[in-house]
Amino acid sequence: KKLHPNHNWMYIDRPRFKAEEGGWEHQIPSNDPSFEVLVLLSTLRLVQYCDSFIYSHSNFANLLKKSMEKSNLRAQFINLDYHVNPFSHDNKASKIVSK
């Protein structure tokens, strides 16, 4: 937000897991399933007002991208995994981006 003050940043302040913190059994960081659904549905609505989308490999990111493409034909998309194999065990590019 400070680096690009001319952009209108939209974000949702919500609990998140870091790395493998949640584990297999605990998949909802907020411990509130209804809040998590609200966040997902709100994100789908908010993204329709965006002009740019930076993303990496994710089915949810693909859904957001499709939603943006329908509402904004001139939207810009930046895929962080372009020319990078995100599934490689020795992938240092994703580790650097996610720090």
Side-chain angles (χ1 to χ4, degrees), residues 26-84:
H26 189 66
Q27 300 175 12
I28 301 175
S30 67
N31 288 321
D32 184 351
S34 60
F35 174 73
E36 296 297 329
V37 170
L38 182 65
V39 167
L40 293 174
L41 294 175
S42 299
T43 303
L44 279 168
R45 296 287 297 271
L46 282 172
V47 77
Q48 294 175 11
Y49 298 97
C50 296
D51 294 324
S52 302
F53 184 50
I54 301 171
Y55 66 102
S56 62
H57 178 80
S58 157
N59 287 333
F60 186 57
N62 292 339
L63 182 64
L64 294 175
K65 183 176 180 249
K66 286 179 185 177
S67 179
M68 275 184 74
E69 288 171 333
K70 287 181 184 178
S71 62
N72 186 350
L73 298 176
R74 295 182 297 154
Q76 175 186 8
F77 301 100
I78 301 169
N79 184 347
L80 294 175
D81 295 327
Y82 187 69
H83 291 308
V84 176

